[in-house]
Amino acid sequence: GAVVSQHPSRVICKSGTSVKIECRSLDFQATTMFWYRQFPKQSLMLMATSNEGSKATYEQGVEKDKFLINHASLTLSTLTVTSAHPEDSSFYICSAGAGTGFYEQYFGPGTRLTVT
Amino acid sequence: GEDVEQSLFLSVREGDSSVINCTYTDSSSTYLYWYKQEPGAGLQLLTYIFSNMDMKQDQRLTVLLNKKDKHLSLRIADTQTGDSAIYFCAESNPSGTYKYIFGTGTRLKVLA
């Protein structure tokens, strides 16, 4: 099946700094990528949907200036957590969909962010 | 709004069958999925079912869909200790924004 990678897999940063997480589709072109956040022992919460070359669509309650999403190419989307705070600590997962009319999202392995 | 509910925990003995249930509210859902998540890892697609199907079987996995009651189940036959994980159901409506709505997750524990 299609492979999606995330980098880094784990990051620890200090409060007030910014962190960038990369999501790459390795063997297909992803017209749409999704960013999720997962708190411990909870479900995945969709943060935003991004289409290549256009602005991301954020879900209600997600601060777009806090979580910057860039989908610059058909194989790469980045999520930047700006001015991170301890409450931003979470597991961030991206997924990608291929082509139009796709019905399956391919998920990355996730990035564990810890803000100290 | 859309809502997808699952029971939180399920414990079974190795070799028994496991049944994980899911209820959803969006009647326009087109695809319904089952994902498996092991600790600290991403999501692995186990199977999916199209909304015009009632049942789908894939080796040890059987998915049943009751569209009238908006109820989805995943049966795992001959459950093994390696099946211990969190299982998420999800729904999507491709005619919309391709978004997935995930269930709350069921933690399956298989006892040896």
Side-chain angles (χ1 to χ4, degrees):
Chain A
V3 179
V4 175
S5 69
Q6 278 184 245
H7 178 79
S9 57
R10 184 182 293 266
V11 58
I12 301 173
C13 70
K14 292 190 184 299
S15 189
T17 61
S18 294
V19 176
K20 180 185 284 188
I21 302 170
E22 291 187 350
C23 177
R24 292 182 184 272
S25 56
L26 298 186
D27 50 4
F28 67 100
Q29 292 186 325
T31 52
T32 305
M33 285 186 169
F34 304 84
W35 286 96
Y36 296 86
R37 182 174 181 177
Q38 185 180 31
F39 290 103
K41 299 185 179 180
Q42 293 190 29
S43 188
L44 280 74
M45 181 193 78
L46 179 65
M47 300 174 66
T49 304
S50 74
N51 293 295
E52 184 263 339
S54 61
K55 288 184 180 180
T57 301
Y58 290 81
E59 295 298 301
Q60 193 172 8
V62 178
E63 299 176 60
K64 61 181 181 180
D65 295 330
K66 172 82 174 167
F67 299 100
L68 300 178
I69 292 171
N70 187 334
H71 193 161
S73 76
L74 285 171
T75 59
L76 173 64
S77 176
T78 60
L79 167 68
T80 302
V81 183
T82 62
S83 187
H85 289 284
E87 57 264 32
D88 298 325
S89 298
S90 192
F91 194 52
Y92 292 88
I93 301 176
C94 73
S95 69
T100 57
F102 69 83
Y103 58 85
E104 182 179 350
Q105 294 181 25
Y106 302 99
F107 285 82
T111 297
R112 171 81 53 199
L113 169 64
T114 303
V115 184
T116 60
Chain B
E2 302 141 343
D3 200 16
V4 183
E5 297 285 340
Q6 296 177 238
S7 52
L8 290 179
F9 298 103
L10 177 65
S11 179
V12 300
R13 293 203 175 278
E14 191 174 20
D16 288 349
S17 292
S18 308
V19 179
I20 303 171
N21 295 300
C22 171
T23 57
Y24 59 98
T25 57
D26 185 359
S27 58
S28 64
S29 295
T30 308
Y31 288 95
L32 296 124
Y33 310 82
W34 283 104
Y35 282 87
K36 176 183 180 182
Q37 185 180 35
E38 299 190 43
L43 273 70
Q44 173 194 354
L45 177 66
L46 293 177
T47 187
Y48 66 90
I49 190 167
F50 190 54
S51 59
N52 67 355
M53 300 164 67
D54 298 324
M55 189 267 282
K56 181 178 180 181
Q57 187 165 2
D58 184 3
Q59 299 183 347
R60 292 192 298 125
L61 306 178
T62 302
V63 179
L64 294 178
L65 175 61
N66 182 328
K67 200 172 180 183
K68 173 175 170 290
D69 294 339
K70 300 190 187 72
H71 182 265
L72 180 74
S73 68
L74 173 69
R75 178 177 181 270
I76 306 173
D78 187 25
T79 313
Q80 303 297 307
T81 54
D83 295 324
S84 293
I86 301 176
Y87 291 80
F88 291 98
C89 63
E91 59 171 358
S92 75
N93 181 352
S95 64
T97 59
Y98 302 95
K99 291 195 304 185
Y100 279 19
I101 305 297
F102 278 91
T104 46
T106 299
R107 186 177 297 270
L108 173 65
K109 184 174 182 178
V110 182
L111 306 171

